[in-house]
Amino acid sequence: NGCSYWHLRSAGDYSDSACSVDYDGYVDDYGVSNTNSGVRPALNIHLTSEISPAEKYNVGDTVSFGSYPQSEVTDGELKAKLTELAGSTDGWTSYGYYSCNEETEQPEQGDFMKYVDVKCDGEKYRGVYFTQYRPLLTYYAATEDNTWQKYNGYEVNTQYWFKYEPMKWQVLSYDKETDNAVVLSKDIIDSQQYYNNHNDRTIGGKTVYPNNYEHSDIRAWLNGTFYNDTFSEKEKDAIIATTLDNSAYDEEYSQYDSNSTTDKVWLLSYDEVHNADYGFDTGGTRRAAGTEYAFCQGLWKDNNNVYGDAMCWRLRSAGGFDGSSACLVDYGGHVYNYDPSIYVSSAHYGVRPALTINLLSLSTEPTIDDIIKSVINNVDTIKAVDIENGVKAIAAADGIDIAVIRRVLPAAKIVDKDGNEVSDKTHLATGMKLMLTGEAVEIVVLGDVDGNGEINVADARLALRQAVSLENLNGVYLFAGKVGGDSVGVSEARKILRAAVGLDDSKDWLANIK
């Protein structure tokens, strides 16, 4: 019938035989030393994973990569919680934005606009606060007449919050041999000056004009602040340094040429936004909308724009007006190159970063955040928490079987506090770890202070000893004793005791964790 024997792993009737399936499909045993039985490998895979995503990408497709503040938080309760977590704005980080010094009539950095990043309920948010408006040109004073922030609806001395969200990138080119792709941010994600003033510099004995890309503020920002804020260490490994031609947009203005650079992140050039192979066949293909975060930064918003939400965004090529102008794409998708209004010191033009990534890296193993989100999004008796010093963990109610997690993450390995793998029928216990992709996620069961997998009188006793300073619990064990609160006191010990005798439900404690 064309079929053959194939091996099973189970031992046979004798020490030198193992089970196998014969050519009629019957299970028998067969000598272990026989080499004429076939092999049918088996394995366990996650069917929704993208094993070879690069095969499905073409120019114009969208990929998700990295994360950056984008949408504004409007929920009052969440904003209040984030404000409390962030603390005084005195400790926030200055953007170091520029405004004009009235005495020198030159741009000068100031601390009038600050930010802070906060994690809350497994998500990341950025707070923005400014005591003066950011001027639309670094040579302007910081007043409401010289800014787009007020026009965009943002006021001084007010905290605004924006959620970090996955960045969307448009594929411009794809190399099938290497699986590398050049991608461009689909949205205008920020608003930054190209350079902070119009003064020439001398570097290495050579005159460097304000529109020199090699020595520009925007290049430093893209490969420093933006790069570090947006990408995890694993994502950084997927970004490929790219050598760029930084010539002026036309040979006639070659005096403004910049040296070639090799960058992780960059702006597109005049030639690149005219490249039909990148999908730029008309002005409409160049249009891009700004995010709410970009508008808070001072991105120029034209509410009378016939092109809807499309806004202006910068290119890296020097312009032709003088050494203080650089090319940009306007809201209609037209490329400006010779215009006195496209100053390098303008802070109200948008940023669309470009980079080269290996598309196969998008199918890399999940991060700890991915693992936690996969579980908490599918199991209502589990939450993501920060234990201490930024350590991430999964908090669970009492009596949850490991099988609950296994159904969500089939490839997960769960070990006890001694590092031994445990079976699916075992209850989750404080001190266990979820192992996946070579990383570990701590597990804490509220009320299970001793880590034996159940809430009993011994847990209440440990909590009481902690409350009166006779015990020194830490990490997940201390968190278990807090039972959803902020500390371990006599009342927490009482709650644990009530749960041990069936008078309290640990699911209620879990619901109280914000």
Coordinates of all heavy atoms in Angstrom, one line a residue, residues 65-73 82 95 97 114-118 123-128 154 160-168 185 187-192 221 225-231 289-297 351 353:
F65 N 6.8 48.4 14.4 CA 8.2 48.3 14.9 C 8.5 49.4 15.9 O 8.3 50.6 15.5 CB 9.2 48.3 13.8 CG 10.6 47.9 14.1 CD1 10.9 46.6 14.5 CD2 11.6 48.8 14.1 CE1 12.2 46.2 14.8 CE2 12.9 48.5 14.5 CZ 13.2 47.2 14.8
G66 N 8.8 49.1 17.1 CA 9.1 50.2 18.1 C 7.9 50.8 18.6 O 6.7 50.4 18.3
S67 N 8.0 51.7 19.6 CA 6.9 52.3 20.2 C 7.2 53.8 20.6 O 8.4 54.0 21.1 CB 6.6 51.5 21.5 OG 6.0 52.2 22.5
Y68 N 6.3 54.7 20.4 CA 6.5 56.1 20.6 C 5.3 56.8 21.1 O 4.1 56.3 20.8 CB 7.0 56.8 19.3 CG 7.7 58.1 19.5 CD1 9.0 58.1 20.1 CD2 7.2 59.3 19.0 CE1 9.7 59.3 20.3 CE2 7.8 60.5 19.2 CZ 9.1 60.5 19.8 OH 9.7 61.7 20.0
P69 N 5.3 57.9 22.0 CA 4.1 58.5 22.4 C 3.3 59.1 21.2 O 3.9 59.8 20.4 CB 4.6 59.6 23.3 CG 6.1 59.8 23.0 CD 6.5 58.5 22.5
Q70 N 2.0 58.8 21.2 CA 1.2 59.3 20.0 C -0.1 59.8 20.4 O -0.4 61.0 20.3 CB 1.1 58.1 19.0 CG 2.4 57.7 18.4 CD 2.3 56.4 17.5 OE1 1.6 56.5 16.5 NE2 2.9 55.4 17.9
S71 N -1.0 59.0 20.9 CA -2.4 59.5 21.2 C -2.5 60.1 22.6 O -1.8 59.7 23.6 CB -3.4 58.3 21.2 OG -3.4 57.7 19.9
E72 N -3.2 61.2 22.7 CA -3.4 61.9 24.0 C -4.4 61.2 24.9 O -5.4 60.6 24.4 CB -3.9 63.3 23.7 CG -4.0 64.2 25.0 CD -4.4 65.6 24.7 OE1 -4.4 66.0 23.6 OE2 -4.7 66.3 25.7
V73 N -4.0 61.1 26.1 CA -4.9 60.5 27.1 C -6.0 61.5 27.5 O -5.7 62.6 27.9 CB -4.1 60.1 28.4 CG1 -5.0 59.5 29.5 CG2 -3.0 59.1 28.0
L82 N -1.7 59.1 36.5 CA -0.4 59.3 35.9 C 0.2 60.5 36.6 O 1.5 60.5 36.8 CB -0.6 59.5 34.4 CG -1.0 58.3 33.6 CD1 -1.3 58.6 32.2 CD2 0.1 57.2 33.6
Y95 N 13.3 69.2 27.7 CA 13.6 69.0 26.2 C 14.7 69.8 25.7 O 15.3 69.4 24.7 CB 12.3 69.4 25.4 CG 11.2 68.4 25.4 CD1 10.0 68.7 26.2 CD2 11.2 67.2 24.7 CE1 8.9 67.8 26.1 CE2 10.2 66.4 24.6 CZ 9.0 66.6 25.4 OH 8.0 65.8 25.4
Y97 N 14.6 72.9 24.5 CA 14.1 73.6 23.3 C 14.6 75.0 23.4 O 15.0 75.6 24.4 CB 12.6 73.5 23.2 CG 12.1 72.2 22.8 CD1 10.8 71.8 23.1 CD2 12.8 71.3 22.1 CE1 10.3 70.6 22.7 CE2 12.3 70.1 21.7 CZ 11.0 69.7 22.0 OH 10.5 68.5 21.6
K114 N 9.1 70.4 29.5 CA 9.7 69.2 30.1 C 8.8 68.0 29.8 O 7.7 68.1 29.4 CB 9.8 69.4 31.7 CG 10.7 70.5 32.1 CD 10.7 70.6 33.6 CE 11.6 71.7 34.1 NZ 11.6 71.8 35.6
Y115 N 9.4 66.8 30.1 CA 8.6 65.6 29.9 C 9.1 64.5 30.9 O 10.1 64.7 31.6 CB 8.9 65.0 28.5 CG 10.3 64.4 28.3 CD1 10.5 63.1 28.4 CD2 11.3 65.2 27.9 CE1 11.7 62.5 28.2 CE2 12.6 64.7 27.7 CZ 12.8 63.4 27.9 OH 14.0 62.8 27.7
V116 N 8.2 63.5 31.1 CA 8.5 62.4 32.0 C 7.8 61.2 31.4 O 6.7 61.3 30.8 CB 8.1 62.7 33.4 CG1 6.5 62.7 33.5 CG2 8.6 61.6 34.4
D117 N 8.5 60.0 31.5 CA 7.9 58.7 31.1 C 7.4 57.9 32.3 O 8.2 57.8 33.3 CB 8.8 57.9 30.3 CG 9.0 58.5 28.9 OD1 8.2 59.3 28.4 OD2 10.1 58.2 28.2
V118 N 6.2 57.4 32.3 CA 5.7 56.7 33.4 C 5.0 55.4 33.0 O 4.4 55.3 31.9 CB 4.6 57.6 34.2 CG1 3.8 56.7 35.2 CG2 5.2 58.8 34.8
E123 N 1.3 49.6 30.8 CA 1.5 50.5 29.6 C 2.4 51.6 29.9 O 2.6 52.0 31.1 CB 0.1 51.1 29.2 CG -0.9 50.0 28.8 CD -0.7 49.4 27.5 OE1 0.3 49.7 26.8 OE2 -1.4 48.4 27.1
K124 N 3.0 52.3 28.9 CA 3.9 53.4 29.1 C 3.3 54.7 28.6 O 2.7 54.7 27.5 CB 5.2 53.1 28.4 CG 6.3 54.1 28.6 CD 7.6 53.6 27.9 CE 8.8 54.5 28.1 NZ 10.0 54.1 27.4
Y125 N 3.5 55.7 29.3 CA 2.9 57.0 29.0 C 4.0 58.1 29.1 O 4.9 58.0 29.9 CB 1.8 57.4 29.9 CG 0.6 56.4 29.8 CD1 0.6 55.2 30.7 CD2 -0.5 56.6 29.0 CE1 -0.4 54.3 30.6 CE2 -1.5 55.6 28.9 CZ -1.5 54.5 29.7 OH -2.5 53.6 29.7
R126 N 3.8 59.2 28.3 CA 4.7 60.3 28.4 C 3.9 61.6 28.9 O 2.9 61.9 28.3 CB 5.4 60.6 27.1 CG 6.2 62.0 27.1 CD 7.2 62.1 26.1 NE 8.3 61.2 26.3 CZ 9.4 61.2 25.6 NH1 9.6 62.0 24.6 NH2 10.4 60.3 25.9
G127 N 4.4 62.2 29.9 CA 3.8 63.5 30.4 C 4.6 64.7 29.8 O 5.8 64.6 29.6
V128 N 3.8 65.7 29.4 CA 4.4 66.9 28.8 C 3.9 68.1 29.6 O 2.7 68.2 29.8 CB 4.1 67.1 27.3 CG1 4.7 68.3 26.7 CG2 4.6 65.9 26.5
Y154 N -3.1 73.5 23.1 CA -2.3 73.2 24.3 C -1.9 74.5 25.0 O -1.5 75.4 24.4 CB -1.1 72.4 23.9 CG -1.5 71.0 23.3 CD1 -1.5 70.9 21.9 CD2 -1.8 70.0 24.1 CE1 -1.9 69.7 21.3 CE2 -2.2 68.8 23.5 CZ -2.2 68.6 22.2 OH -2.6 67.4 21.6
Y160 N -0.1 67.3 30.1 CA -0.7 66.5 29.1 C 0.0 65.2 29.1 O 1.2 65.0 29.3 CB -0.6 67.2 27.7 CG -1.3 68.6 27.6 CD1 -0.6 69.7 27.8 CD2 -2.6 68.6 27.4 CE1 -1.2 71.0 27.8 CE2 -3.3 69.9 27.4 CZ -2.6 71.0 27.6 OH -3.2 72.2 27.5
W161 N -0.8 64.1 28.8 CA -0.3 62.8 28.8 C -0.6 62.1 27.4 O -1.7 62.3 26.9 CB -1.0 62.0 29.9 CG -0.5 62.4 31.2 CD1 -1.1 63.3 32.1 CD2 0.7 62.0 31.9 NE1 -0.4 63.5 33.2 CE2 0.7 62.7 33.1 CE3 1.7 61.1 31.6 CZ2 1.8 62.5 34.0 CZ3 2.8 61.0 32.5 CH2 2.8 61.7 33.7
F162 N 0.4 61.3 27.0 CA 0.3 60.7 25.7 C 0.8 59.2 25.9 O 1.7 58.9 26.6 CB 1.2 61.4 24.7 CG 0.8 62.8 24.4 CD1 1.3 63.8 25.2 CD2 -0.1 63.1 23.4 CE1 1.0 65.1 25.1 CE2 -0.5 64.4 23.2 CZ 0.1 65.4 24.1
K163 N 0.0 58.3 25.2 CA 0.3 56.9 25.4 C 1.4 56.4 24.3 O 1.3 56.8 23.1 CB -1.0 56.1 25.1 CG -0.8 54.6 25.4 CD -2.1 53.9 25.2 CE -2.0 52.4 25.4 NZ -3.2 51.6 25.2
Y164 N 2.3 55.7 24.8 CA 3.3 55.0 23.9 C 2.5 53.9 23.1 O 1.9 53.1 23.7 CB 4.4 54.4 24.7 CG 5.6 55.2 24.9 CD1 5.6 56.2 26.0 CD2 6.8 55.1 24.2 CE1 6.7 57.0 26.2 CE2 7.9 55.9 24.4 CZ 7.8 56.9 25.4 OH 8.9 57.7 25.7
E165 N 2.6 54.0 21.8 CA 1.9 53.0 21.0 C 2.8 52.5 19.9 O 3.8 53.2 19.5 CB 0.7 53.7 20.3 CG -0.4 54.1 21.3 CD -1.4 55.0 20.7 OE1 -1.1 56.0 20.0 OE2 -2.6 54.8 20.9
P166 N 2.5 51.3 19.3 CA 3.4 50.8 18.3 C 3.5 51.7 17.1 O 2.5 52.3 16.7 CB 2.7 49.5 17.9 CG 1.9 49.1 19.1 CD 1.4 50.4 19.7
M167 N 4.7 51.9 16.6 CA 4.9 52.8 15.5 C 4.6 52.0 14.2 O 5.0 50.8 14.1 CB 6.4 53.3 15.4 CG 6.6 54.5 16.3 SD 8.1 55.4 15.8 CE 7.7 56.0 14.2
K168 N 4.0 52.6 13.3 CA 3.7 52.0 12.0 C 4.6 52.5 10.9 O 4.9 53.7 10.8 CB 2.2 52.3 11.6 CG 1.2 51.9 12.5 CD 1.1 50.4 12.7 CE 0.0 49.9 13.6 NZ 0.0 48.5 13.8
S185 N 8.3 56.1 8.6 CA 7.2 56.2 9.5 C 6.0 56.7 8.7 O 6.0 57.6 8.0 CB 7.6 57.3 10.6 OG 6.4 57.6 11.3
D187 N 3.3 58.1 9.9 CA 2.8 59.3 10.5 C 3.9 60.3 10.8 O 5.1 59.9 10.9 CB 2.0 59.1 11.7 CG 0.7 58.3 11.5 OD1 0.1 58.5 10.5 OD2 0.4 57.4 12.3
I188 N 3.6 61.6 10.9 CA 4.5 62.6 11.4 C 4.5 62.4 12.9 O 3.5 62.7 13.5 CB 4.2 64.0 10.9 CG1 4.2 64.1 9.4 CG2 5.0 65.0 11.6 CD1 3.6 65.3 8.9
I189 N 5.6 62.0 13.5 CA 5.5 61.6 14.9 C 6.1 62.6 15.9 O 6.0 62.5 17.1 CB 6.2 60.2 15.1 CG1 7.6 60.2 14.5 CG2 5.4 59.1 14.5 CD1 8.7 60.8 15.4
D190 N 6.7 63.7 15.4 CA 7.3 64.7 16.2 C 7.5 66.0 15.4 O 7.2 66.0 14.2 CB 8.6 64.2 16.8 CG 8.9 64.8 18.2 OD1 8.8 66.0 18.4 OD2 9.1 64.0 19.2
S191 N 8.0 67.0 16.1 CA 8.2 68.3 15.4 C 9.6 68.8 15.9 O 9.7 69.1 17.1 CB 7.1 69.3 15.7 OG 7.3 70.5 15.0
Q192 N 10.6 68.9 15.1 CA 11.9 69.3 15.5 C 12.6 70.3 14.5 O 12.3 70.2 13.3 CB 12.8 68.1 15.7 CG 12.3 67.1 16.7 CD 12.5 67.6 18.1 OE1 13.4 68.4 18.4 NE2 11.6 67.2 19.0
W221 N 19.4 64.0 17.1 CA 18.1 63.7 17.8 C 17.6 62.3 17.3 O 17.2 61.5 18.1 CB 17.1 64.7 17.6 CG 15.8 64.5 18.2 CD1 15.5 64.7 19.5 CD2 14.6 63.9 17.7 NE1 14.2 64.4 19.8 CE2 13.6 63.8 18.7 CE3 14.3 63.4 16.4 CZ2 12.4 63.3 18.4 CZ3 13.1 62.9 16.1 CH2 12.1 62.8 17.2
T225 N 18.1 60.6 21.0 CA 16.9 60.6 21.8 C 15.8 59.7 21.2 O 15.2 58.8 21.9 CB 16.4 62.0 21.9 OG1 17.4 62.8 22.5 CG2 15.1 62.1 22.7
F226 N 15.5 59.9 19.9 CA 14.4 59.1 19.3 C 14.8 57.6 19.3 O 13.9 56.8 19.7 CB 14.2 59.6 17.9 CG 13.2 58.7 17.1 CD1 11.8 58.8 17.3 CD2 13.7 57.8 16.2 CE1 11.0 58.0 16.6 CE2 12.8 57.0 15.5 CZ 11.4 57.1 15.7
Y227 N 16.0 57.3 18.9 CA 16.4 55.9 18.8 C 16.3 55.2 20.2 O 15.7 54.1 20.2 CB 17.8 55.9 18.3 CG 18.5 54.5 18.2 CD1 18.2 53.6 17.2 CD2 19.5 54.1 19.1 CE1 18.8 52.4 17.1 CE2 20.2 52.9 19.0 CZ 19.8 52.1 18.0 OH 20.4 50.8 17.8
N228 N 16.7 55.8 21.2 CA 16.7 55.2 22.5 C 15.3 55.2 23.1 O 14.9 54.2 23.9 CB 17.7 55.9 23.5 CG 19.1 55.7 23.1 OD1 19.5 54.6 22.8 ND2 19.9 56.8 23.1
D229 N 14.5 56.2 22.8 CA 13.1 56.2 23.4 C 12.2 55.2 22.7 O 11.2 54.8 23.3 CB 12.5 57.6 23.3 CG 13.1 58.6 24.2 OD1 13.8 58.2 25.1 OD2 12.8 59.8 24.1
T230 N 12.5 54.9 21.5 CA 11.5 54.1 20.6 C 11.8 52.6 20.6 O 10.8 51.9 20.5 CB 11.6 54.7 19.2 OG1 11.4 56.1 19.2 CG2 10.5 54.1 18.3
F231 N 13.0 52.2 20.6 CA 13.3 50.8 20.4 C 13.9 50.1 21.6 O 14.7 50.7 22.3 CB 14.3 50.7 19.2 CG 13.8 51.4 17.9 CD1 14.5 52.6 17.5 CD2 12.7 51.0 17.2 CE1 14.0 53.2 16.4 CE2 12.3 51.6 16.1 CZ 12.9 52.7 15.7
A289 N -0.1 62.4 8.0 CA -0.8 63.1 9.1 C 0.1 63.2 10.4 O 1.0 62.3 10.5 CB -2.1 62.4 9.5
G290 N -0.2 64.1 11.2 CA 0.6 64.2 12.5 C -0.2 63.6 13.6 O -1.4 63.5 13.6
T291 N 0.6 63.1 14.6 CA 0.0 62.5 15.8 C -0.3 63.6 16.8 O 0.2 64.8 16.7 CB 1.0 61.5 16.5 OG1 2.2 62.3 16.9 CG2 1.4 60.4 15.5
E292 N -1.1 63.3 17.8 CA -1.5 64.3 18.8 C -0.2 64.7 19.6 O -0.1 65.9 19.9 CB -2.5 63.7 19.7 CG -3.9 63.5 19.0 CD -4.9 62.8 19.8 OE1 -4.5 61.9 20.7 OE2 -6.1 63.0 19.6
Y293 N 0.7 63.8 19.8 CA 1.9 64.2 20.5 C 2.7 65.2 19.7 O 3.3 66.2 20.2 CB 2.8 62.9 20.7 CG 4.1 63.2 21.4 CD1 4.2 63.5 22.8 CD2 5.3 63.2 20.6 CE1 5.4 63.8 23.4 CE2 6.5 63.5 21.2 CZ 6.6 63.8 22.6 OH 7.8 64.1 23.2
A294 N 2.8 65.0 18.3 CA 3.5 65.9 17.5 C 2.9 67.3 17.5 O 3.6 68.4 17.6 CB 3.5 65.4 16.0
F295 N 1.6 67.4 17.6 CA 0.9 68.7 17.7 C 1.2 69.4 19.0 O 1.3 70.6 19.1 CB -0.6 68.6 17.5 CG -1.0 68.2 16.1 CD1 -1.8 67.1 15.8 CD2 -0.6 69.0 15.0 CE1 -2.1 66.8 14.5 CE2 -0.9 68.7 13.7 CZ -1.7 67.6 13.4
C296 N 1.3 68.6 20.1 CA 1.7 69.2 21.4 C 3.1 69.7 21.4 O 3.4 70.7 22.0 CB 1.5 68.1 22.5 SG 1.9 68.7 24.1
Q297 N 3.9 69.1 20.5 CA 5.3 69.6 20.4 C 5.4 70.9 19.6 O 6.4 71.5 19.5 CB 6.2 68.5 19.7 CG 6.3 67.3 20.5 CD 7.0 67.5 21.9 OE1 8.1 68.0 22.0 NE2 6.2 67.3 23.0
V351 N 8.5 65.4 11.6 CA 9.6 64.4 11.4 C 8.9 63.1 11.1 O 8.0 62.6 11.8 CB 10.4 64.2 12.7 CG1 11.5 63.3 12.5 CG2 11.0 65.6 13.2
P353 N 10.8 59.6 10.5 CA 12.0 58.9 10.5 C 12.0 57.8 9.5 O 10.9 57.2 9.2 CB 12.1 58.3 11.9 CG 11.1 59.1 12.7 CD 10.0 59.5 11.8

